[in-house]
Amino acid sequence: VLLIVRLQGGNDGLNTIVPIYDYDNYANARPTLKHELVDIHKLSHEFGVPKYLQPSIEPIWEGGCMKVVHGTGYENQNFSHFTGTDNISKGTDVEFVETGVYGRYFESIYPDFLLNLPEAPPAVQIGGVGDIIFTGSESNFAFTIANTRQLERIASDGTLFNVADIPDCTKGSQLKFVRGVMNTTLKYSKVIKEAAATQTNTIEFPDTNLGSALSIISKTIKAGMGTCVYMVNLNGFDTHANQPEKHQELLTNITESIMSFYRDLEPSGRDRDVLTMTISEFGRRVNENGSNGTDHGTAAPMLLFGPALNGNGFIGEHPSLSDLNRGNLKYT
């Protein structure tokens, strides 16, 4: 199972994974936003995280359940939230591509998806609208809900609609699409509810939208529902102003929720079956701005979590803080 946590807005990677090895350049670029050395919890001699994350990060890191991928990014970054999100989801910056990475993947597995729905949704997305990441040439393969509360309000019974006996015309194509969407909603809301109802959480999750989402996802995984990709959107990372307090709240929410998630899965033995990764449309600029925040940038770290990683560590090369492209990190 892959759990994607999308950090919507562009996460500030330099204040998430702090480059201790180049602390002078980091501190000079961020005279007010920098984490003081005494306020950094070291993951290694070269990199650390803000000390406020130590209670939740330390057991994960020391338990060998976390890796950091340095400098993720792509060519032709235009600093748009919408374009950046689409490019990450599509796996390319080619404009005419209208399908996503996991949409193409699931289409190869379920070529007749709307005609022959699998027992469980291939993907589940909580938060946001249907993302292009799960969009194939004809279908979106994710069961999408706006938030955790909406799941309880979705209809879970009704007659499934016929998508085979449809006229071969434009109206027929539209009718097939609408009926297919209705079928997935009716079928999969019931599947998710029934799976979650068979399980209980053994750990108390943070009282946040992310914590609530992960508590439900954990139940469906323990129930063996069969969904293999989940994505949860976490908003708030567009930190142009007053970044420190907001960033602390966001990062603490992530690490505490993920720690609870794996502790809840552990008694069932399913914890080793799940890899969690963060994605974000871009990072932030190296230099702070005049509003106690950071502006849209380029490269940023990707965080991986889960005991199946078989050890902690760092992947790839951290971008240089002195060799910049117009004030931005060069992705590696």
Side-chain angles (χ1 to χ4, degrees):
V1 175
L2 175 66
L3 167 64
I4 304 168
V5 180
R6 184 189 286 285
L7 313 183
Q8 197 71 49
N11 181 43
D12 181 16
L14 290 178
N15 272 23
T16 303
I17 303 297
V18 185
I20 301 172
Y21 77 96
D22 198 9
Y23 187 79
D24 286 347
N25 277 323
Y26 161 77
N28 288 336
R30 299 178 168 212
T32 60
L33 287 187
K34 67 179 182 295
H35 294 298
E36 301 289 349
L37 277 172
V38 295
D39 295 325
I40 298 173
H41 173 64
K42 290 186 176 181
L43 300 179
S44 69
H45 292 302
E46 295 186 312
F47 300 100
V49 294
K51 188 160 282 186
Y52 57 72
L53 294 181
Q54 183 174 352
S56 49
I57 281 285
E58 189 168 38
I60 298 174
W61 183 264
E62 296 301 326
C65 301
M66 178 181 174
K67 281 185 165 67
V68 177
V69 185
H70 289 310
T72 59
Y74 57 90
E75 292 285 356
N76 304 320
Q77 175 62 260
N78 73 352
F79 308 107
S80 160
H81 292 294
F82 305 104
T83 303
T85 298
D86 282 353
N87 289 348
I88 291 292
S89 297
K90 295 189 300 184
T92 178
D93 64 354
V94 177
E95 288 187 21
F96 62 79
V97 174
E98 297 180 346
T99 58
V101 174
Y102 294 104
R104 296 190 293 272
Y105 169 72
F106 285 125
E107 199 156 54
S108 69
I109 300 174
Y110 307 110
D112 58 345
F113 178 67
L114 292 179
L115 292 172
N116 187 21
L117 292 176
E119 287 303 307
V124 169
Q125 178 184 339
I126 301 176
V129 296
D131 197 288
I132 195 173
I133 198 169
F134 298 118
T135 300
S137 59
E138 293 188 359
S139 306
N140 188 295
F141 292 87
F143 179 87
T144 302
I145 53 178
N147 52 58
T148 52
R149 296 180 300 278
Q150 190 186 66
L151 182 59
E152 299 303 320
R153 299 196 298 265
I154 292 178
S156 60
D157 55 10
T159 304
L160 296 183
F161 298 99
N162 187 345
V163 292
D165 185 18
I166 287 177
D168 184 16
C169 60
T170 301
K171 179 182 176 181
S173 298
Q174 295 170 343
L175 183 62
K176 177 182 176 181
F177 175 78
V178 172
R179 286 184 176 181
V181 171
M182 285 300 299
N183 283 350
T184 59
T185 300
L186 293 169
K187 177 183 176 73
Y188 290 144
S189 61
K190 186 175 181 181
V191 169
I192 292 170
K193 279 190 173 184
E194 289 179 349
T198 67
Q199 304 294 319
T200 58
N201 295 127
T202 59
I203 296 293
E204 184 176 350
F205 283 74
D207 186 20
T208 62
N209 287 335
L210 179 61
S212 298
L214 296 194
S215 72
I216 293 174
I217 291 172
S218 178
K219 288 179 182 179
T220 62
I221 292 172
K222 289 189 289 187
M225 188 174 75
T227 295
C228 63
V229 181
Y230 295 82
M231 185 168 76
V232 182
N233 277 311
L234 182 60
N235 292 318
F237 289 89
D238 195 19
T239 50
H240 289 284
N242 303 318
Q243 175 175 310
E245 298 80 7
K246 184 62 176 176
H247 206 224
Q248 176 174 346
E249 178 186 331
L250 289 164
L251 294 182
T252 301
N253 183 15
I254 293 169
T255 56
E256 289 183 350
S257 297
I258 287 175
M259 181 174 66
S260 299
F261 177 65
Y262 280 103
R263 285 181 172 174
D264 191 56
L265 288 171
E266 187 175 7
S268 68
R270 294 303 310 273
D271 56 324
R272 293 193 64 83
D273 297 336
V274 185
L275 173 70
T276 299
M277 76 174 182
T278 65
I279 61 175
S280 196
E281 62 263 42
F282 43 62
R284 316 297 291 186
R285 289 180 70 85
V286 176
N287 286 55
E288 64 182 51
N289 61 25
S291 303
N292 203 30
T294 51
D295 297 326
H296 298 181
T298 50
M302 177 185 286
L303 309 180
L304 305 176
F305 300 95
L309 290 168
N310 293 324
N312 60 40
F314 301 91
I315 299 168
E317 178 185 355
H318 192 280
S320 169
L321 273 66
S322 54
D323 179 19
L324 303 176
N325 180 12
R326 299 182 180 179
N328 286 301
L329 299 171
K330 297 178 180 178
Y331 78 94
T332 54

